[in-house]
Amino acid sequence: QVQLVESGGGLVQAGGSLRLSCAASGSIFSANAMSWYRQVPGKQRELVADLDRSRTTNYADSVKGRFTISRDNAKNTVYLQMNSLKPEDTAVYTCYVRIRATGSWGQGTQVTVSS
């Protein structure tokens, strides 16, 4: 099981951009799936974006056209580029990586978008 550490969260004004990073302690070359989730207190965790081994991507309707998930195998890192941010994007963002049958979660990073 790899350890995941997210970074890149913070406070940004509406319309701004942030890039989240999720660094893995081991190789993600064999990862079957890499995902970003977000959660607001009192609400269920929501899948924001995922990327499978064939580099096929999937996005929540609310972020399509604004967010991009990508991976850098050489750096063992998964990214989430977030553009045109809206106040409703405010949440704790957490990455998830599945290698074969084992999944790992990061600790989360806070993203706050002010209006």
Side-chain angles (χ1 to χ4, degrees):
Q1 189 175 25
V2 296
Q3 305 299 314
L4 303 174
V5 178
E6 297 101 334
S7 60
L11 174 64
V12 65
Q13 287 189 331
S17 298
L18 285 173
R19 187 177 78 157
L20 305 183
S21 299
C22 174
S25 60
S27 174
I28 62 169
F29 181 80
S30 300
N32 303 92
M34 290 156 286
S35 310
W36 284 95
Y37 288 79
R38 67 185 181 188
Q39 188 168 25
V40 176
K43 293 189 176 181
Q44 281 193 327
R45 185 160 52 193
E46 172 190 24
L47 175 63
V48 176
D50 61 30
L51 173 65
D52 68 16
R53 197 168 177 180
S54 65
R55 297 185 182 265
T56 299
T57 57
N58 177 54
Y59 297 94
D61 288 343
S62 59
V63 307
K64 280 181 182 175
R66 300 188 297 122
F67 290 12
T68 303
I69 187 171
S70 63
R71 63 191 287 180
D72 185 333
N73 289 337
K75 296 182 178 179
N76 295 320
T77 302
V78 181
Y79 301 100
L80 184 68
Q81 178 67 43
M82 306 186 295
N83 299 327
S84 302
L85 282 162
K86 304 175 181 180
E88 52 264 42
D89 294 319
T90 295
V92 174
Y93 286 71
T94 307
C95 65
Y96 172 81
V97 173
R98 181 169 60 84
I99 298 175
R100 290 182 283 279
T102 302
S104 301
W105 291 92
Q107 83 289 350
T109 185
Q110 176 71 44
V111 171
T112 303
V113 184
S114 63
S115 56

